[in-house]
Amino acid sequence: MPGEVYRVQENTGNPVHPSIEEVVSLALDRAADPRPSGHQDSHFDEYVRGAVEYAGEAAVKEAIRLSLTKGVTHRMAGREAFGDDDYVYGIHVGVAAIAYLCELNSEPQIDP
């Protein structure tokens, strides 16, 4: 079940889980300003940066939404967002999105 695997607000209904917009925002921020190449997760930033440069932010957003909220495989999300011949961008973006979601889920939550 996507809600169990991807703890995104839209899947779980839990307001303490990050929304898909938070994941998209972090992905695009990291693409625009990647972490240094020596950082253990910098490859995720480069995956998203390459996809943005290739197809634009809208395609990246669509791939993330399909992967994290619709339960679509990264490959199928890539085909939908980037086209049949360039689905590998969707795989890269999906993997990066999961890493960003894990990062957001591991941040301490502040009660309002």
Side-chain angles (χ1 to χ4, degrees):
M1 179 57 127
E4 295 298 316
V5 177
Y6 305 129
R7 291 184 305 153
V8 180
Q9 248 178 44
E10 289 78 358
N11 290 340
T12 65
N14 187 337
V16 300
H17 291 154
S19 71
I20 194 67
E21 291 305 320
E22 290 174 272
V23 178
V24 167
S25 179
L26 180 56
L28 294 176
D29 288 349
R30 292 272 173 80
D33 186 20
R35 293 171 279 196
S37 61
H39 189 281
Q40 68 181 9
D41 293 332
S42 65
H43 59 289
F44 296 127
D45 305 345
E46 293 303 324
Y47 288 166
V48 179
R49 176 184 245 181
V52 168
E53 288 174 356
Y54 174 74
E57 289 183 2
V60 169
K61 290 177 184 180
E62 181 67 8
I64 292 172
R65 286 180 206 291
L66 289 169
S67 290
L68 297 185
T69 63
K70 301 296 183 189
V72 176
T73 66
H74 301 321
R75 180 180 177 158
M76 294 306 295
R79 289 181 74 181
E80 180 88 17
F82 299 100
D84 289 340
D85 294 332
D86 298 310
Y87 66 86
V88 73
Y89 285 105
I91 295 170
H92 289 165
V93 167
V95 168
I98 289 172
Y100 298 144
L101 177 59
C102 288
E103 181 182 332
L104 289 168
N105 274 317
S106 69
E107 291 177 355
Q109 301 298 318
I110 300 170
D111 291 329

